[in-house]
Amino acid sequence: ADTKVSQGRLEALGREVWAALQEAGVSDEGAEMPRIKVMPPFLGAPKKDGRVPIGRVTVKKIRKAYRWKHVFATPKIAAHVPEEVQIQEGLPEIQARGILAHEFGHFIFATQMEGAETLGIDLEEGLCNLLMYQELQRTFESLGEIGGQRGDNDGQTAGNFDHQRKVDANQAQIRGLEMLACPRYGVGFRRTYDAWLRSQLPLPLFLRNTVQGGTLPEVAGTPCVV
């Protein structure tokens, strides 16, 4: 099976995924990676659709005291500042990579792009799953390069078996995302991916235009495929 990640390994994976996002131009060059923390299973109460989250971005609530007739009123929440990425412990390494890319997407939109505060949740989740998909594809290509470097052999060594398990796990994650039935995370991702392909824009520009505009771009009046 795919290797389960520890706190130390998750931080190393996080640095690799964050560097890939910066190299791709999705995250600003020199931007600091958020803190990453492994959390026990069941990060929180089930959501309205019954799912239990396996990753999330925590926020710090910035409160501001308002003065009224010389009396300080109850502090109001003035802003929500993304603070930390939390990932459920025990996830397979390949899955953890995808979840990190997804949660980093939430963090990048909130801290580096204008318009994120008014971005609809369905669209934001679709964009974050697009980043997850790109990370899984990047990992698949990297595994292919490693496999090619091994050369032709009978494939019976422990190292080759381990490598093939990682390739299989990666392909399973990609297929699972492509076939996900959930309206928000599955259909939303496929609509977003289709819109990106039709736009023919570099991914960073597509993301910024979509976040700022609050909607997927229309290309030649063609509706998105769901």
Side-chain angles (χ1 to χ4, degrees), residues 128-166:
C128 289
N129 265 8
L130 176 57
L131 292 177
M132 176 191 291
Y133 188 76
Q134 290 298 99
E135 171 58 26
L136 292 173
Q137 291 286 10
R138 186 190 71 83
T139 304
F140 181 73
E141 293 172 3
S142 177
L143 288 171
E145 292 176 359
I146 294 173
Q149 292 171 1
R150 292 178 181 272
D152 296 330
N153 50 55
D154 59 7
Q156 299 303 307
T157 67
N160 285 330
F161 278 126
D162 181 64
H163 178 266
Q164 187 58 48
R165 283 196 295 267
K166 289 182 179 180

Side-chain angles (χ1 to χ4, degrees), residues 32 48 66 102 111 141 150 157-158 170 175 178 185 199 212-213 217 223 226:
E32 185 176 352
K48 292 182 180 180
Y66 292 90
H102 178 103
T111 60
E141 293 172 3
R150 292 178 181 272
T157 67
N170 186 270
R175 287 195 301 270
E178 291 173 338
Y185 294 89
S199 73
Q212 291 176 3
V226 298

Side-chain angles (χ1 to χ4, degrees), residues 39-89:
M39 297 294 289
F42 309 115
L43 287 169
K47 297 187 177 183
K48 292 182 180 180
D49 59 7
R51 293 179 308 100
V52 176
I54 58 177
R56 67 183 178 189
V57 176
T58 63
V59 297
K60 179 169 59 177
K61 297 178 181 179
I62 306 300
R63 294 182 180 272
K64 180 179 179 181
Y66 292 90
R67 194 177 184 88
W68 181 73
K69 290 185 177 180
H70 308 292
V71 177
F72 281 102
T74 302
K76 305 294 184 180
I77 296 176
H80 292 80
V81 180
E83 191 172 28
E84 181 179 77
V85 169
Q86 298 179 348
I87 305 292
Q88 179 179 303
E89 68 179 358

